[in-house]
Amino acid sequence: MRQLLAIRYLNRPDIEDIIERAAAHRERIKERKPVPQRSHLSVGLLFFEDSTRTRVSFEQAAAYLGHRTVSFTTVGSSLRKGETLRDTVLTLRDEGLDAIVVRHPSSGACNLAAREFGGPCVNAGDGSHEHPTQALGDALTIQDRKGTIEGLTVAIVGDVVHSRVARSNAWLLSKMGAAVRLCGPSSLMPSQMTKLPGTHCYDVREAVHGADVVMCLRLQKERMADGLAGSVRDYANNFQVNRRLLARHAPEAIVMHPGPLNRGVEIDDATADGPSSAIGDQVRNSVFVRMAVLDWCFGEVTA
Ligand code: ASP
């Protein structure tokens, strides 16, 4: 059994293994071939923070694999009565869940949940820390569209400091041999002390110039204790990824966004819905990658 808590601690062979498994699941589902079933294993989906794409794609992934799932959200649980995350996880373990998938607003909460649970556990996004399954799905999408990740230049633009997607992608892409450029207003950039791989850049034209992939990030208003320094309009004027910017500086680039999109802020409609957009592929691939991650965590258990 394994736990997937962060890309930072994953090695390249494991990343390649998960991407390969995801592509194999995609092929099986496309060809309507049988998917190996794990109906004897139950998976708890613990979402302590809002989610659309991640929650539904984990449900869909688990359904394809035949898992029984138990959905757990803060609303309607004993967390409202003051129960701690630790006690909640211990309860679910003692009730016999075989694996847990955890989303939480606090960075590091999944590590605690995984330690207490002791079995297969997947981080579905914890605070500003990591979102490993998002980065793995993005990697499959980039590989499909560009043939490889090695040697590519990827610009990650927006609210880098609060983004777990930026963190997981920066680690994954650099482990896979891509050059990462991180770009945003100085108030939304991580300090160099964080040692996040990638060069820092404060001019979006420079960041996307000649890039193969441009990844947009949402402004994480819910994680900005002091609000946004400057206005949303200033942000859009200076950092929006739009048709004009791409035509001039990165005409060959594919454009990605983890969603939810703030159209007209970090990305314009023409780009989000245009031919260079890989956003739909990111969503489709996220299901196959989450199947692969569940497989990878459970190991070679058979019914
Ligand atoms: N859906 C992604 C996440 O959960 C990105 C975002 O919310 O901006 O981190």
Side-chain angles (χ1 to χ4, degrees), residues 49-51 53-54 103 124-125 127 131 134 163-165 217-220 222-223 257-260:
E49 193 189 69
D50 295 346
S51 172
R53 277 151 286 271
T54 305
R103 163 163 294 194
H131 195 350
Q134 174 74 42
S163 175
R164 53 199 180 204
V165 173
L217 303 172
R218 181 177 66 87
L219 290 175
Q220 309 270 302
E222 69 275 29
R223 294 186 226 289
H257 192 303

Tab-separated table of all heavy atoms in Angstrom, residues 49-51 53-54 103 124-125 127 131 134 163-165 217-220 222-223 257-260, ligand 1:
chain	number	residue	atom	x	y	z
A	49	GLU	N	-13.341	20.910	2.117
A	49	GLU	CA	-13.308	22.187	1.400
A	49	GLU	C	-14.069	21.982	0.101
A	49	GLU	O	-14.098	20.865	-0.426
A	49	GLU	CB	-11.836	22.561	1.106
A	49	GLU	CG	-11.637	23.969	0.652
A	49	GLU	CD	-10.198	24.208	0.168
A	49	GLU	OE1	-9.820	23.655	-0.884
A	49	GLU	OE2	-9.470	24.946	0.831
A	50	ASP	N	-14.640	23.059	-0.433
A	50	ASP	CA	-15.458	22.950	-1.655
A	50	ASP	C	-14.677	22.350	-2.816
A	50	ASP	O	-13.476	22.568	-2.939
A	50	ASP	CB	-15.943	24.342	-2.090
A	50	ASP	CG	-16.889	24.943	-1.065
A	50	ASP	OD1	-17.354	24.188	-0.196
A	50	ASP	OD2	-17.130	26.150	-1.145
A	51	SER	N	-15.381	21.639	-3.652
A	51	SER	CA	-14.750	21.043	-4.831
A	51	SER	C	-15.833	20.606	-5.805
A	51	SER	O	-16.891	20.123	-5.378
A	51	SER	CB	-13.939	19.813	-4.402
A	51	SER	OG	-13.483	19.118	-5.530
A	53	ARG	N	-14.684	19.628	-9.629
A	53	ARG	CA	-13.934	18.730	-10.504
A	53	ARG	C	-13.282	17.569	-9.746
A	53	ARG	O	-13.422	16.409	-10.133
A	53	ARG	CB	-12.815	19.503	-11.238
A	53	ARG	CG	-13.248	20.230	-12.475
A	53	ARG	CD	-12.376	21.441	-12.696
A	53	ARG	NE	-12.766	22.440	-11.722
A	53	ARG	CZ	-13.722	23.342	-11.947
A	53	ARG	NH1	-14.290	23.423	-13.103
A	53	ARG	NH2	-14.088	24.196	-11.000
A	54	THR	N	-12.559	17.890	-8.682
A	54	THR	CA	-11.787	16.842	-7.997
A	54	THR	C	-12.722	15.815	-7.345
A	54	THR	O	-12.523	14.609	-7.484
A	54	THR	CB	-10.847	17.477	-6.951
A	54	THR	OG1	-10.042	18.450	-7.616
A	54	THR	CG2	-9.962	16.443	-6.301
A	103	ARG	N	-9.451	16.180	1.037
A	103	ARG	CA	-9.240	17.596	0.696
A	103	ARG	C	-9.473	18.405	1.956
A	103	ARG	O	-10.429	18.169	2.693
A	103	ARG	CB	-10.190	18.058	-0.391
A	103	ARG	CG	-10.244	19.581	-0.438
A	103	ARG	CD	-10.812	20.141	-1.668
A	103	ARG	NE	-9.974	19.850	-2.817
A	103	ARG	CZ	-10.117	20.468	-3.978
A	103	ARG	NH1	-11.052	21.378	-4.137
A	103	ARG	NH2	-9.345	20.155	-4.993
A	124	ALA	N	-6.126	15.235	-1.930
A	124	ALA	CA	-6.938	15.820	-3.009
A	124	ALA	C	-6.875	17.347	-2.950
A	124	ALA	O	-7.784	18.028	-3.429
A	124	ALA	CB	-8.384	15.340	-2.884
A	125	GLY	N	-5.780	17.870	-2.373
A	125	GLY	CA	-5.586	19.312	-2.274
A	125	GLY	C	-5.641	19.757	-0.832
A	125	GLY	O	-6.696	19.662	-0.214
A	127	GLY	N	-4.798	23.054	1.464
A	127	GLY	CA	-4.403	24.460	1.598
A	127	GLY	C	-3.608	24.930	0.402
A	127	GLY	O	-3.983	24.685	-0.749
A	131	HIS	N	-1.386	19.606	-4.639
A	131	HIS	CA	-2.566	18.990	-5.256
A	131	HIS	C	-2.010	17.977	-6.275
A	131	HIS	O	-2.054	18.192	-7.484
A	131	HIS	CB	-3.397	20.069	-5.940
A	131	HIS	CG	-4.785	19.656	-6.310
A	131	HIS	ND1	-5.229	18.353	-6.238
A	131	HIS	CD2	-5.830	20.384	-6.773
A	131	HIS	CE1	-6.498	18.315	-6.639
A	131	HIS	NE2	-6.878	19.527	-6.961
A	134	GLN	N	-3.893	16.653	-9.458
A	134	GLN	CA	-4.084	17.666	-10.501
A	134	GLN	C	-2.838	17.708	-11.394
A	134	GLN	O	-2.928	17.684	-12.624
A	134	GLN	CB	-4.311	19.045	-9.853
A	134	GLN	CG	-4.370	20.202	-10.848
A	134	GLN	CD	-5.658	20.243	-11.653
A	134	GLN	OE1	-6.728	20.031	-11.114
A	134	GLN	NE2	-5.573	20.521	-12.949
A	163	SER	N	-1.092	28.892	-4.511
A	163	SER	CA	-1.588	27.809	-5.354
A	163	SER	C	-0.902	26.458	-5.113
A	163	SER	O	0.271	26.281	-5.409
A	163	SER	CB	-1.419	28.190	-6.832
A	163	SER	OG	-1.790	27.103	-7.633
A	164	ARG	N	-1.697	25.501	-4.638
A	164	ARG	CA	-1.186	24.124	-4.500
A	164	ARG	C	-0.979	23.496	-5.878
A	164	ARG	O	-0.142	22.609	-6.050
A	164	ARG	CB	-2.149	23.296	-3.666
A	164	ARG	CG	-3.593	23.335	-4.166
A	164	ARG	CD	-4.547	22.903	-3.084
A	164	ARG	NE	-5.935	22.927	-3.499
A	164	ARG	CZ	-6.950	23.041	-2.660
A	164	ARG	NH1	-6.716	23.166	-1.367
A	164	ARG	NH2	-8.191	23.027	-3.082
A	165	VAL	N	-1.744	23.973	-6.883
A	165	VAL	CA	-1.580	23.458	-8.251
A	165	VAL	C	-0.206	23.882	-8.784
A	165	VAL	O	0.510	23.083	-9.404
A	165	VAL	CB	-2.710	23.983	-9.159
A	165	VAL	CG1	-2.461	23.609	-10.612
A	165	VAL	CG2	-4.067	23.465	-8.694
A	217	LEU	N	-3.443	30.383	-13.372
A	217	LEU	CA	-3.898	30.067	-12.011
A	217	LEU	C	-4.995	31.033	-11.602
A	217	LEU	O	-4.963	32.204	-11.965
A	217	LEU	CB	-2.738	30.213	-11.018
A	217	LEU	CG	-1.487	29.383	-11.270
A	217	LEU	CD1	-0.391	29.827	-10.301
A	217	LEU	CD2	-1.777	27.892	-11.110
A	218	ARG	N	-5.927	30.527	-10.820
A	218	ARG	CA	-7.000	31.375	-10.292
A	218	ARG	C	-6.482	32.199	-9.105
A	218	ARG	O	-5.646	31.712	-8.331
A	218	ARG	CB	-8.140	30.456	-9.804
A	218	ARG	CG	-9.341	31.145	-9.245
A	218	ARG	CD	-10.400	30.107	-8.868
A	218	ARG	NE	-9.975	29.257	-7.767
A	218	ARG	CZ	-10.132	29.550	-6.481
A	218	ARG	NH1	-10.699	30.687	-6.128
A	218	ARG	NH2	-9.728	28.719	-5.533
A	219	LEU	N	-6.987	33.419	-8.956
A	219	LEU	CA	-6.683	34.204	-7.752
A	219	LEU	C	-7.378	33.521	-6.573
A	219	LEU	O	-8.602	33.400	-6.570
A	219	LEU	CB	-7.228	35.630	-7.884
A	219	LEU	CG	-6.533	36.557	-8.890
A	219	LEU	CD1	-7.285	37.878	-8.982
A	219	LEU	CD2	-5.088	36.785	-8.517
A	220	GLN	N	-6.609	33.049	-5.603
A	220	GLN	CA	-7.168	32.278	-4.476
A	220	GLN	C	-7.633	33.242	-3.389
A	220	GLN	O	-6.997	33.350	-2.333
A	220	GLN	CB	-6.105	31.335	-3.916
A	220	GLN	CG	-5.413	30.474	-4.966
A	220	GLN	CD	-6.128	29.158	-5.170
A	220	GLN	OE1	-6.292	28.404	-4.237
A	220	GLN	NE2	-6.551	28.893	-6.399
A	222	GLU	N	-9.857	33.123	-1.263
A	222	GLU	CA	-10.144	32.516	0.043
A	222	GLU	C	-8.883	32.288	0.872
A	222	GLU	O	-8.965	32.013	2.071
A	222	GLU	CB	-10.922	31.196	-0.148
A	222	GLU	CG	-10.157	30.028	-0.769
A	222	GLU	CD	-10.134	30.030	-2.304
A	222	GLU	OE1	-10.204	31.114	-2.911
A	222	GLU	OE2	-9.998	28.934	-2.889
A	223	ARG	N	-7.715	32.379	0.237
A	223	ARG	CA	-6.469	32.195	1.000
A	223	ARG	C	-5.696	33.503	1.172
A	223	ARG	O	-4.531	33.504	1.576
A	223	ARG	CB	-5.579	31.156	0.295
A	223	ARG	CG	-6.189	29.776	0.290
A	223	ARG	CD	-5.274	28.717	-0.260
A	223	ARG	NE	-5.981	27.856	-1.187
A	223	ARG	CZ	-6.911	26.974	-0.838
A	223	ARG	NH1	-7.226	26.809	0.418
A	223	ARG	NH2	-7.511	26.241	-1.757
A	257	HIS	N	-5.620	25.415	-17.446
A	257	HIS	CA	-6.185	26.085	-16.260
A	257	HIS	C	-6.826	24.974	-15.416
A	257	HIS	O	-7.596	24.184	-15.943
A	257	HIS	CB	-7.233	27.121	-16.693
A	257	HIS	CG	-7.650	28.050	-15.584
A	257	HIS	ND1	-8.177	27.601	-14.392
A	257	HIS	CD2	-7.626	29.398	-15.500
A	257	HIS	CE1	-8.440	28.643	-13.616
A	257	HIS	NE2	-8.116	29.742	-14.260
A	258	PRO	N	-6.508	24.923	-14.111
A	258	PRO	CA	-7.070	23.823	-13.295
A	258	PRO	C	-8.552	23.991	-12.983
A	258	PRO	O	-9.195	23.052	-12.516
A	258	PRO	CB	-6.245	23.906	-12.006
A	258	PRO	CG	-5.826	25.340	-11.915
A	258	PRO	CD	-5.641	25.813	-13.332
A	259	GLY	N	-9.099	25.205	-13.227
A	259	GLY	CA	-10.493	25.462	-12.880
A	259	GLY	C	-10.640	25.610	-11.375
A	259	GLY	O	-9.785	25.126	-10.627
A	260	PRO	N	-11.658	26.277	-10.872
A	260	PRO	CA	-12.672	26.992	-11.653
A	260	PRO	C	-12.106	28.271	-12.279
A	260	PRO	O	-11.235	28.909	-11.689
A	260	PRO	CB	-13.743	27.312	-10.603
A	260	PRO	CG	-13.031	27.322	-9.295
A	260	PRO	CD	-11.900	26.363	-9.407
B	1	ASP	N1	-9.261	23.462	-8.315
B	1	ASP	C1	-7.903	23.808	-7.993
B	1	ASP	C2	-7.633	23.550	-6.523
B	1	ASP	O1	-8.451	22.983	-5.848
B	1	ASP	C3	-7.538	25.173	-8.406
B	1	ASP	C4	-8.303	26.308	-7.776
B	1	ASP	O2	-9.181	26.094	-6.937
B	1	ASP	O3	-7.973	27.433	-8.129
B	1	ASP	O4	-6.576	23.906	-6.065
